[in-house]
């Protein structure tokens, strides 16, 4: 039985770090294990300009534990008024690594996102020209569409037309949850990749709703039926170059999760690597874990893979069930099965 596994240090290609006291509480959880992360821009107000992204990066660096070399990779929140020149300048400076498309109203803090997709063509054209990736929250916001169908409908109605209009545009479909998305990405060429979260490899919709409602498993896109989870698992463990880890670790204090209208998001930064090792081990796919966590992401983002290594040991992890924050406790995602792997200190 494999007892230790050494990997290039992982990166997280989709992370919510928030700001202020929450940033201070959650950043060490990611910086402990990950070298870099694509930092989502859905703050209140959102990060819409290069100047705002630069200031946010400074706040993240200031909140890092002493001695940490964690590198935040900044993104811009796409609005109908985004200035293509500002995006191009941010990318040329090496500050901006992607632009994030939120359909208006699709998820947490997405009210300033895009409603009229015709208005974003100039900025997409510029991004295609300079090779800057577009990260997409792939859910339609049409209230007539069932929430479990919103990803598949978004691909057909919105994403595919955008990609046809901008053939050179490099796109990351974020946090895919369906076999439809896995098939769409698999069948596409090199310009389309997808991130897969930790929690979507673990839970299906029964985990949220059967035997009592479990708000800590509620996230967006919402987990789908088991056949979809199996498709995600196959994609993640296959080693396929265009699927990589984006945890979508999205902290909300328990008071905001355990409410009549609870927030969407699973907080997985603390135990993601233990969970992934367990999941890959069960699939007999540990040899492909490094591709998923540490190689495929940098290759798509045209960055070098990390040179330093982490070691996973077959020892149960020892982490708190909750993190203390200024807004009260924040629950760490519970996969619902025993974890046997931990990251060596
Ligand atoms: C994210 C958040 O809380 O910011 N929530 C979530 O359920 N994933 C937003 C997002 O990525 O959709
Ligand atoms: Zn997210």
């Amino acid at each position: 039985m494999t007892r230790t596994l050494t990997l290039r240090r992982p990166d997280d290609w989709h992370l919510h770090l928030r700001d202020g006291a929450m940033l201070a509480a959650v950043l060490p959880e990611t910086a402990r294990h990950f070298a870099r992360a694509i930092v989502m821009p859905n703050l209140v107000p959102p990060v819409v300009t290069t100047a705002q992204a630069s200031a946010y990066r400074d706040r993240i660096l200031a909140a890092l534990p002493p001695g940490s070399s964690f590198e935040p990779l900044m993104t811009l929140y796409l609005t109908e008024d985004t200035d293509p020149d500002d995006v191009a300048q941010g990318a040329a400076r090496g500050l901006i690594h992607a632009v994030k498309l939120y359909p208006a109203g699709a998820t947490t803090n997405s009210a300033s996102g895009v409603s009229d997709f015709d208005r974003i063509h100039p900025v997409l054209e510029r991004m295609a020209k300079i090779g800057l990736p577009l990260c997409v929250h792939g859910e339609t916001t049409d209230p007539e569409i069932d929430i479990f169908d919103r990803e598949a409908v978004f691909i057909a109605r919105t994403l595919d037309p955008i990609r046809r209009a901008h053939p050179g545009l490099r796109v990351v479909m974020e946090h895919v949850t369906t076999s439809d998305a896995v098939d769409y990405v698999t069948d596409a060429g090199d310009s389309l990749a997808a991130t897969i979260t930790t929690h979507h490899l673990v839970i299906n919709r029964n985990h949220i709703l059967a035997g009592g409602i479990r708000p800590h498993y509620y996230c967006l896109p919402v987990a789908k039926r088991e056949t979809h989870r199996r498709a995600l698992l196959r994609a993640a463990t296959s080693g396929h170059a265009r699927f990589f880890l984006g945890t979508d670790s999205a902290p909300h204090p328990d008071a905001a999760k355990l409410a009549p209208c609870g927030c969407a998001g699973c907080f997985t930064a603390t135990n993601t690597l233990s969970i992934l090792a367990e999941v890959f081990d069960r699939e007999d796919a540990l040899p492909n874990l490094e591709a998923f966590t540490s190689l495929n992401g940098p290759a798509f983002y045209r960055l070098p893979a990390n040179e330093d290594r982490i070691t996973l040991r077959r020892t149960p992890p020892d982490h708190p069930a909750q993190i203390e924050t200024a807004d009260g406790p924040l629950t760490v995602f519970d996969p619902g099965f025993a974890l046997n792997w931990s990251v060596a200190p």
Side-chain angles (χ1 to χ4, degrees), residues 14-16 40 42 100 102 107 137 174-175 220 248-250:
H14 180 133
L15 177 66
H16 298 271
M40 288 294 130
N42 63 332
K100 177 68 188 261
Y102 291 100
T107 187
H137 183 108
E174 301 289 295
H175 42 51
L220 288 172
D248 193 20
S249 181

Side-chain angles (χ1 to χ4, degrees), residues 5-11 30-36 67-71 273 290 293-295 298 304-312 343-345:
L5 186 64
T6 298
L7 311 175
R8 282 181 190 260
R9 188 172 290 281
D11 304 304
T30 287
R32 191 175 297 134
H33 298 152
F34 292 87
R36 301 171 288 198
S68 172
S69 53
F70 174 78
E71 193 189 343
L273 293 173
E290 186 180 46
T293 61
S294 318
L295 299 176
N306 299 307
E307 282 304 330
D308 68 326
R309 308 292 202 267
I310 61 161
T311 298
L312 290 158
V343 183

Side-chain angles (χ1 to χ4, degrees), residues 249-260:
S249 181
H252 294 279
D254 283 1
K257 293 284 297 172
L258 308 175

Side-chain angles (χ1 to χ4, degrees), residues 55 78-79 85-86 99 111 144 148 159 168 203 206 226 269 297 321 331:
L78 181 60
T79 74
D85 290 335
D86 184 55
V99 173
E144 299 290 307
F148 292 101
L159 182 57
I203 59 167
N206 282 6
E226 178 65 3
T331 292

Side-chain angles (χ1 to χ4, degrees), residues 14 116 230 289 341 343:
H14 180 133
D116 180 355
R230 295 292 324 171
L289 183 59
W341 289 91
V343 183

Side-chain angles (χ1 to χ4, degrees), residues 121-288:
H121 283 303
V123 66
L124 298 185
E125 196 172 294
R126 182 72 71 89
M127 288 168 62
K129 199 165 153 200
I130 63 179
L132 188 68
L134 178 73
C135 294
V136 177
H137 183 108
E139 287 190 288
T140 184
T141 52
D142 182 344
E144 299 290 307
I145 303 296
D146 188 279
I147 191 165
F148 292 101
D149 298 332
R150 288 183 183 185
E151 184 171 280
V153 171
F154 180 86
I155 293 170
R157 276 197 200 166
T158 309
L159 182 57
D160 199 56
I162 285 177
R163 293 187 56 247
R164 283 175 197 278
H166 301 279
L169 184 64
R170 309 178 67 243
V171 175
V172 184
M173 254 202 104
E174 301 289 295
H175 42 51
V176 290
T177 58
T178 57
S179 60
D180 309 71
V182 168
D183 291 346
Y184 183 68
V185 172
T186 306
D187 294 344
D190 287 348
S191 65
L192 182 63
T195 55
I196 301 179
T197 76
T198 309
H199 50 281
H200 288 121
L201 292 174
V202 171
I203 59 167
N204 62 37
R205 63 199 200 180
N206 282 6
H207 291 83
I208 312 171
L209 296 170
I213 188 159
R214 291 188 176 71
H216 289 302
Y217 288 155
Y218 174 60
C219 65
L220 288 172
V222 70
K224 309 297 191 297
R225 61 170 67 237
E226 178 65 3
T227 47
H228 293 293
R229 187 187 73 90
R230 295 292 324 171
L232 301 177
L233 205 47
R234 277 196 300 278
T237 58
S238 68
H240 188 298
R242 287 183 290 108
F243 292 96
F244 43 86
L245 175 64
T247 66
D248 193 20
S249 181
H252 294 279
D254 283 1
K257 293 284 297 172
L258 308 175
C261 184
C263 291
C266 297
F267 178 67
T268 54
T270 305
N271 56 1
T272 271
L273 293 173
S274 291
I275 297 171
L276 290 175
E278 191 69 35
V279 165
F280 275 63
D281 196 2
R282 288 173 179 210
E283 297 296 308
D284 254 331
L286 282 174
N288 284 342

